[in-house]
Amino acid sequence: MNLINMDSENRVVLNVGGIRHETYKATLKKIPATRLSRLTEALANYDPILNEYFFDRHPGVFAQVLNYYRTGKLHYPTDVCGPLFEEELEFWGLDSNQVEPCCWMTYTQHRDTQETLAVLDRLDLDTEKPSEEELARKFGFEEDYYKGTLSWWQEMKPRIWSLFDEPYSSNAAKTIGVVSVFFICVSILSFCLKTHPDMRVPYLVNTSVNTANGNMAWYIDKPQTNAHIAFFYIECVCNAWFTFEILVRFISSPNKCEFIKSSVNIIDYIATLSFYIDLVLQTFASHLENADILEFFSIIRIMRLFKLTRHSSGLKILIQTFRASAKELTLLVFFLVLGIVIFASLVYYAERIQPNPHNDFNSIPLGLWWALVTMTTVGYGDMVPKTYIGMFVGALCALAGVLTIALPVPVIVSNFAMYYSHTQARAKLPKKRRRVLPVEQPRPPRLPGQTGGVSGCGTPGSGPHSGPMGSGGTGPRRMNNKTKDLVSPKSDMAFSFD
């Protein structure tokens, strides 16, 4: 009989979220310095009537927590979110790093998701119109906005910025965005078409020569061709718009330093500035020798295509995918360079072992080109091995190239799919979340003879003995049940009658 009493005294009942768990006190002492290892009957959440401890926490996670006390192994439940699991472990005083290796990959997925969401927040993929309060906070006018003392420039500056930098903020901004994309496309199209032979005008020069009989003759020479004059006017109009756009965006930007350091804006500066530099050089330096080489720098204008990232979330995701996959891309280039050097050296010596009068591999540097086009499965056919040993090396080179490229590419594809799926999920989420109201604590019973008013407010998790016992042996737990029965089905408010 004494053994039975001792066993019942060593057992403890834990009510977590409405589910009762029973275990031994010695089991809870296995992990010291935790919440469950310090349970005493003096705690506020102890119910002396039911002889149990009540915790208003997630019952599913607590099952794994209690199993950790019993077995010493902490497993991750797959039916809960990672941050919720971390919050529960923090409440119970456990270390999240003690999760078993078999569950670690599944458990840490939420951290990768949080990093991805943080990246998407920086990319600013939200196409919804920002509120006036958000604009005032972004431009630093929050105090003046709440006071109602905004100046006309403080009111106009966010509107101008939204028109030129946020294409989805309004219909007018969409129109300006369409105009900007139109000029970008026209500028790129003009840049490409002016190099076509049918779109160029020959530059004719009259040259005089002395004939054999001593007379002077003239002939027309065509040393070069110039682009049609119409392309010059088209570029003038396009660059006038780009100059106006970048000046307006700079003046109305909320942060001048971030605007200047932005990579897309830097491309816009250089591309616009290259047009004016090219115009000055054609005016004052066209007589210099090899002045045509200066036109090479006009290729910078093709970089304006990156300005389309402001209008396309897909381009932003693609660029971010390459940034996130920098290690994989570096690994891919390293493997390619390693294979190119090895197979270029092998094929050079393989072609010299047997007699080969038509050897295409006269040096290892020439073999580098062959190894590159072979490993990338391009195979131009301008250089081919002609001996049996060389053909064997070429077959190994092709197989190694397929494996080298195929291994890192799925990682890059998975990164793009991850960013794209999260972007689509964010677009479907409601922008306004339902506000969670604070929990109203039940009013404790009044003492007999108390005239009115509330004697005090309970605290969260205070348990069933937070207030004094009423007459007839009915404590707060019975009063809570009575209050619960008086809740109207059409209202969230609870009424109690004296």
Side-chain angles (χ1 to χ4, degrees):
M1 193 66 178
N2 293 331
L3 294 176
I4 296 176
N5 292 334
M6 291 178 60
D7 183 72
S8 61
E9 290 178 358
N10 290 330
R11 283 184 293 179
V12 60
V13 178
L14 305 174
N15 188 341
V16 181
I19 298 180
R20 301 175 76 250
H21 301 267
E22 191 170 358
T23 185
Y24 290 103
K25 294 180 180 180
T27 302
L28 302 180
K29 299 293 183 181
K30 290 182 179 180
I31 307 178
T34 58
R35 186 179 293 271
L36 294 179
S37 65
R38 299 191 297 263
L39 291 180
T40 61
E41 295 182 357
L43 294 177
N45 56 349
Y46 175 71
D47 188 348
I49 300 177
L50 298 179
N51 191 24
E52 67 179 17
Y53 295 88
F54 177 75
F55 297 93
D56 193 13
R57 306 300 298 186
H58 195 286
V61 175
F62 182 75
Q64 300 298 332
V65 171
L66 187 57
N67 184 68
Y68 180 40
Y69 281 90
R70 291 168 174 166
T71 64
K73 296 181 179 181
L74 181 60
H75 293 277
Y76 170 67
T78 58
D79 58 341
V80 298
C81 189
L84 173 62
F85 186 66
E86 287 185 345
E87 291 176 2
E88 292 296 316
L89 292 182
E90 184 179 359
F91 174 80
W92 297 112
L94 301 178
D95 187 7
S96 60
N97 294 325
Q98 300 300 321
V99 176
E100 290 298 306
C102 60
C103 302
W104 184 253
M105 290 299 297
T106 308
Y107 165 63
T108 55
Q109 283 181 356
H110 74 279
R111 299 180 181 176
D112 299 334
T113 302
Q114 290 175 337
E115 294 178 359
T116 303
L117 295 177
V119 170
L120 296 180
D121 289 336
R122 292 195 301 267
L123 292 180
D124 192 16
L125 299 176
D126 193 3
T127 59
E128 292 293 324
K129 180 180 179 181
S131 62
E132 294 182 358
E133 183 179 357
E134 292 175 347
L135 289 176
R137 188 182 300 109
K138 183 177 182 179
F139 283 81
F141 305 150
E142 190 174 3
E143 295 183 0
D144 294 334
Y145 173 78
Y146 289 125
K147 294 179 180 178
T149 59
L150 292 175
S151 62
W152 70 272
W153 174 242
Q154 289 177 334
E155 293 181 355
M156 291 299 299
K157 188 176 181 180
R159 297 178 183 178
I160 297 174
W161 173 258
S162 298
L163 282 176
F164 284 87
D165 199 77
E166 297 177 356
Y168 300 97
S169 59
S170 62
N171 292 329
K174 292 179 181 179
T175 303
I176 293 178
V178 170
V179 173
S180 180
V181 172
F182 171 76
F183 279 110
I184 292 174
C185 295
V186 170
S187 176
I188 301 301
L189 187 63
S190 172
F191 177 80
C192 297
L193 288 180
K194 72 178 183 180
T195 60
H196 196 275
D198 295 337
M199 300 291 181
R200 300 182 68 87
V201 178
Y203 179 73
L204 304 178
V205 177
N206 291 329
T207 306
S208 60
V209 294
N210 294 324
T211 60
N213 55 6
N215 296 328
M216 183 175 292
W218 297 85
Y219 76 96
I220 299 176
D221 187 16
K222 187 180 72 172
Q224 64 181 11
T225 59
N226 295 329
H228 197 277
I229 191 63
F231 292 106
F232 173 75
Y233 294 114
I234 292 174
E235 289 186 356
C236 288
V237 174
C238 294
N239 281 273
W241 167 260
F242 295 141
T243 305
F244 169 75
E245 183 184 22
I246 198 171
L247 289 177
V248 171
R249 292 178 61 240
F250 176 76
I251 294 173
S252 62
S253 62
N255 192 323
K256 300 293 190 298
C257 295
E258 291 183 1
F259 182 86
I260 293 175
K261 293 187 296 184
S262 176
S263 57
V264 178
N265 293 333
I266 291 174
I267 293 173
D268 202 5
Y269 309 147
I270 298 175
T272 305
L273 192 61
S274 66
F275 169 76
Y276 296 105
I277 294 176
D278 189 21
L279 186 62
V280 171
L281 292 177
Q282 288 181 3
T283 304
F284 299 100
S286 59
H287 61 281
L288 298 178
E289 187 178 0
N290 297 329
D292 294 340
I293 197 66
L294 298 175
E295 292 185 0
F296 173 77
F297 295 100
S298 62
I299 198 174
I300 301 174
R301 300 174 201 170
I302 204 73
M303 304 295 289
R304 278 203 184 98
L305 287 173
F306 288 99
K307 289 182 62 177
L308 297 177
T309 56
R310 292 196 299 113
H311 308 275
S312 174
S313 60
L315 287 177
K316 290 183 181 180
I317 296 173
L318 182 62
I319 294 174
Q320 182 58 37
T321 300
F322 287 119
R323 290 179 180 177
S325 308
K327 294 182 180 180
E328 289 77 14
L329 291 173
T330 304
L331 189 65
L332 175 62
V333 173
F334 174 75
F335 285 158
L336 280 177
V337 171
L338 187 65
I340 287 171
V341 174
I342 292 176
F343 287 107
S345 304
L346 290 177
V347 77
Y348 170 73
Y349 289 103
E351 289 292 285
R352 296 169 65 89
I353 293 178
Q354 297 179 359
N356 186 9
H358 303 288
N359 186 10
D360 295 330
F361 301 91
N362 297 322
S363 63
I364 293 180
L366 289 177
L368 294 176
W369 166 253
W370 169 84
L372 174 63
V373 298
T374 303
M375 292 192 70
T376 56
T377 67
V378 177
Y380 289 115
D382 52 347
M383 298 175 62
V384 292
K386 297 180 176 61
T387 62
Y388 291 108
I389 300 178
M391 293 178 184
F392 178 74
V393 172
L396 293 179
C397 181
L399 292 175
V402 171
L403 295 177
T404 301
I405 297 176
L407 292 178
V409 166
V411 179
I412 302 174
V413 175
S414 64
N415 287 337
F416 179 81
M418 177 181 62
Y419 285 115
Y420 187 77
S421 60
H422 282 294
T423 303
Q424 296 298 317
R426 282 165 55 94
K428 296 178 181 178
L429 285 176
K431 302 304 177 183
K432 294 183 179 180
R433 300 297 184 89
R434 182 179 179 181
R435 185 168 59 92
V436 179
L437 297 177
V439 177
E440 295 183 1
Q441 297 297 327
R443 184 173 59 184
R446 292 186 304 185
L447 294 174
Q450 189 174 358
T451 57
V454 180
S455 61
C457 297
T459 58
S462 58
H465 68 288
S466 58
M469 300 295 292
S471 59
T474 58
R477 178 174 293 273
R478 291 187 60 185
M479 181 179 178
N480 291 345
N481 294 335
K482 182 186 295 184
T483 304
K484 183 177 179 181
D485 295 336
L486 293 174
V487 174
S488 172
K490 297 183 180 180
S491 173
D492 294 333
M493 298 179 62
F495 300 90
S496 61
F497 300 91
D498 295 331

